[in-house]
Amino acid sequence: MTQLDDIIIDIRGLTFYRGERAIFRDVDIQVPRGKITAIMGPSGTGKTTLLKLIGGQLKPDSGEILLDGQNVPNLGRRALFRIRERMGMLFQSGALFTDMSVYENVAFPLRVHTRLPEEMVRDLVLMKLQAVGLRGARDLMPSELSGGMARRVALARAIALDPDVLMYDEPFTGQDPIAMGVLVNLIKRLNEATGHTSIIVSHDIQETMGIADRIYILADGGVIAQGSPEQLMAENSPQVKQFIDGLPDGPVPFHFPADDYQSDLMLGLNNG
Amino acid sequence: MVEFIAATGRAGLNRVAAFGRAAIFLMQSLVARPAPLHMLPLLLRQIYVVGVQSLIIIIVSGLFIGMVLGLQGYTILVAYGSEQAVGQMVALSLVRELAPVVTALLFAGRAGSALTAEIGLMKATEQLASLEMIGVDPLRRIVAPRFWAGFLCLPILSAVFALVGVYGGALVGVEWLGIYEGSFWANMQNSVDFFDDVLNGCIKAVVFGFVVTWIAVYQGYDSVPTSEGISQATTRTVVYASLAVLGLDFVLTALMFGDL
């Protein structure tokens, strides 16, 4: 494991249950400052939940989530909203405000958190929209956008305030190959230019491995592997190999836990 | 048997917990009123959506109820030769009871259900979560302006309802059935007291505005973010708000007029 000296988010002993099901059991994750950290893993391993825990939208059952030394779960309502001004989050669905145009959506964080003159807001919004290739779509309403376009607008909104930490929830899903290439580059360039910390949750192994500095692979309520992309590629653990190579058979089950298939089918026959 | 007692207890505890959540939610929304400069455009927009757009249904309903009251009042009172008292009857029934109660019921159906569905859908499409992550409190930005708009609009709508209703009563009583205009209005003027009738009616409308809007915004905010969850929340808003209005109306009437 590489020695990490400058940590912006330090997660220690994180345990989180949804009902009876443990999503995380005593998980430790360190996010280095100014780098791109990827959180990967099969569906249902709590990747999005992890982002919500970091953002304080969910509270863990135990453990600490320290953002620059401040324990997010212990913050009061006001302090929590203040610390969120330092975070940007790109939601899986885009989560644009449906009663505002594309332009107004991107301008929203600037209007509520700054007192910039309108001309400057306009320039900033157009710059952010230009970066995601949608400057021409500024007057459209969210209902007129495709899923991929909506997510790009949401990305422009998430970077509007140049936050310290940017969390991307499945940024590549639903993007055509051209937009995908542009987005991968954009995330990398943004990271280098502004020096903010990025956390990417994604299934897209090629794209994510190409830009991430550090990767955590989650499965079975814990971290099964971590390290640089090169370290993970060289990893011999069958779980990691199965995930990276996309193999259906292996230690990571494709099926949600269930009773034996054959006896389950027979149960219907017997009951009938 | 034990299971039944346990289930009853659980249901009771869930109700109490839900009521507690609703009370905390209300406190946070009221304490978190947005700064006046930011609040004003949001509030005005909600007053337009919740209040102005409800005007048509309120005016039409008020007119018809006033007309029905005039007609029914006339057919009853004419048997005693007191048809001049129709004006008094129409005005008192409207100002004391029908205006606040029917307005609140219509408001729950027209604006309350819309508030619940809107906030519920915002929750389902992660718009509330995304506001939180932008560092904006959804209680401040979304809930507070809607709550205040409903609270302010219902008493005004109730006054409009009463005014139009009285006009409807006059239309039927005076214009159609030929009650002498002077006695129609004079009887009304003499019998309707500002404090006992008009003010008490206003107090009812204010209480109903508070309760109906509270139920509507809370049900939206607390809804399960699925299509079924939002549909159930919308139904709950109309049912709970209607029952609360009718129940509270009895309590308030007993407090206001019980010693007569």
Side-chain angles (χ1 to χ4, degrees):
Chain A
M1 186 181 152
T2 50
Q3 200 57 40
L4 302 165
D5 37 35
D6 194 6
I7 304 293
I8 186 163
I9 297 174
D10 192 359
I11 299 175
R12 291 184 199 156
L14 176 70
T15 301
F16 180 76
Y17 281 85
R18 254 189 214 288
E20 297 288 301
R21 200 159 78 93
I23 306 291
F24 297 117
R25 269 188 302 262
D26 201 18
V27 168
D28 294 332
I29 290 175
Q30 278 83 38
V31 178
R33 190 186 306 273
K35 305 278 186 205
I36 300 179
T37 301
I39 311 286
M40 306 181 84
S43 306
T45 45
K47 302 186 294 294
T48 302
T49 306
L50 182 67
L51 294 188
K52 288 190 172 170
L53 284 161
I54 295 174
Q57 294 187 297
L58 295 172
K59 280 198 189 298
D61 290 291
S62 65
E64 288 182 324
I65 300 168
L66 301 167
L67 174 66
D68 270 339
Q70 281 186 290
N71 190 10
V72 176
N74 284 355
L75 292 177
R77 209 172 158 77
R78 255 164 216 237
L80 189 58
F81 278 107
R82 245 193 326 271
I83 208 168
R84 280 178 185 155
E85 290 176 29
R86 297 180 51 199
M87 303 180 191
M89 179 148 167
L90 174 67
F91 283 83
Q92 214 166 344
S93 60
L96 296 176
F97 304 128
T98 45
D99 58 340
M100 295 181 193
S101 66
V102 164
Y103 179 93
E104 286 302 323
N105 260 287
V106 182
F108 181 79
L110 295 166
R111 291 200 208 283
V112 291
H113 289 311
T114 69
R115 288 164 189 263
L116 295 175
E118 193 51 40
E119 308 84 68
M120 201 177 278
V121 170
R122 184 176 183 277
D123 286 350
L124 283 170
V125 171
L126 294 185
M127 281 159 66
K128 306 295 177 189
L129 282 174
Q130 174 74 11
V132 296
L134 290 172
R135 187 166 50 86
R138 75 185 98 161
D139 295 324
L140 296 182
M141 294 303 283
S143 57
E144 298 170 287
L145 302 175
S146 72
M149 286 162 85
R151 207 151 328 132
R152 276 148 71 194
V153 176
L155 174 57
R157 185 179 67 182
I159 59 176
L161 281 173
D162 293 325
D164 294 343
V165 180
L166 251 173
M167 297 189 272
Y168 303 88
D169 192 359
E170 302 284 1
F172 309 124
T173 312
Q175 301 293 348
D176 62 68
I178 303 171
M180 176 100 96
V182 173
L183 269 183
V184 172
N185 276 328
L186 179 64
I187 292 175
K188 184 74 182 165
R189 274 193 295 125
L190 274 173
N191 185 259
E192 286 166 358
T194 62
H196 66 237
T197 306
S198 302
I199 305 174
I200 303 179
V201 156
S202 180
H203 290 298
D204 297 277
I205 293 164
Q206 292 303 325
E207 287 72 20
T208 312
M209 286 239 175
I211 54 171
D213 297 300
R214 186 170 182 77
I215 297 176
Y216 283 88
I217 299 183
L218 303 179
D220 300 331
V223 175
I224 57 165
Q226 56 177 302
S228 65
E230 297 75 29
Q231 283 172 318
L232 288 185
M233 290 301 271
E235 179 80 50
N236 279 326
S237 136
Q239 273 183 309
V240 176
K241 277 196 90 59
Q242 185 199 351
F243 181 72
I244 290 177
D245 298 337
L247 304 173
D249 290 320
V252 181
F254 166 67
H255 293 282
F256 196 79
D259 296 334
D260 177 57
Y261 184 38
Q262 210 166 10
S263 55
D264 212 357
L265 290 176
M266 290 303 284
L267 204 64
L269 281 179
N270 293 341
N271 287 347
Chain B
M1 185 63 190
V2 176
E3 248 175 52
F4 172 74
I5 296 171
T8 316
R10 227 180 353 257
L13 284 175
N14 285 343
R15 293 272 156 201
V16 174
F19 194 71
R21 277 203 309 275
I24 292 169
F25 164 83
L26 180 72
M27 282 310 297
Q28 284 176 336
S29 307
L30 295 185
V31 170
R33 54 185 194 285
L37 270 180
H38 282 122
M39 168 81 159
L40 201 60
L42 296 174
L43 182 65
L44 288 178
R45 187 179 148 72
Q46 288 311 316
I47 286 178
Y48 175 75
V49 173
V50 167
V52 178
Q53 292 190 340
S54 300
L55 263 179
I56 295 290
I57 186 174
I58 294 297
I59 289 173
V60 173
S61 312
L63 187 69
F64 280 122
I65 286 193
M67 285 162 73
V68 168
L69 278 177
L71 198 56
Q72 290 281 16
Y74 182 84
T75 52
I76 295 168
L77 292 172
V78 76
Y80 306 97
S82 350
E83 65 270 23
Q84 294 84 356
V86 166
Q88 169 186 355
M89 199 212 82
V90 168
L92 283 181
S93 345
L94 277 170
V95 169
R96 283 185 180 183
E97 285 298 330
L98 289 172
V101 172
V102 178
T103 306
L105 294 178
L106 290 172
F107 186 83
R110 156 70 186 72
S113 57
L115 285 178
T116 305
E118 188 188 17
I119 296 177
L121 258 174
M122 281 184 179
K123 188 177 180 183
T125 52
E126 292 187 304
Q127 291 182 56
L128 295 184
S130 121
L131 267 180
E132 282 182 356
M133 285 311 299
I134 291 173
V136 176
D137 188 348
L139 294 180
R140 247 176 119 105
R141 176 89 195 176
I142 303 293
V143 174
R146 282 163 178 76
F147 177 79
W148 289 113
F151 180 62
L152 292 173
C153 285
L154 206 145
I156 298 171
L157 290 172
S158 167
V160 171
F161 187 100
L163 277 174
V164 178
V166 166
Y167 177 72
L171 206 65
V172 168
V174 177
E175 303 294 330
W176 181 23
L177 300 169
I179 301 171
Y180 176 57
E181 197 177 358
S183 53
F184 180 91
W185 293 114
N187 258 328
M188 191 187 294
Q189 206 172 358
N190 288 335
S191 59
V192 179
D193 183 77
F194 178 76
F195 288 102
D196 279 349
D197 304 314
V198 178
L199 203 62
N200 277 342
C202 285
I203 292 172
K204 281 186 177 180
V206 168
V207 172
F208 296 160
F210 182 86
V211 172
V212 171
T213 323
W214 177 21
I215 291 174
V217 289
Y218 174 70
Q219 288 297 339
Y221 198 77
D222 198 51
S223 62
V224 180
T226 60
S227 39
E228 194 190 11
I230 294 168
S231 116
Q232 282 172 350
T234 314
T235 310
R236 271 202 302 274
T237 290
V238 178
V239 173
Y240 290 176
S242 306
L243 291 178
V245 164
L246 296 171
L248 276 172
D249 182 47
F250 174 73
V251 174
L252 289 173
T253 308
L255 288 174
M256 290 167 177
F257 304 104
D259 56 343
L260 288 178

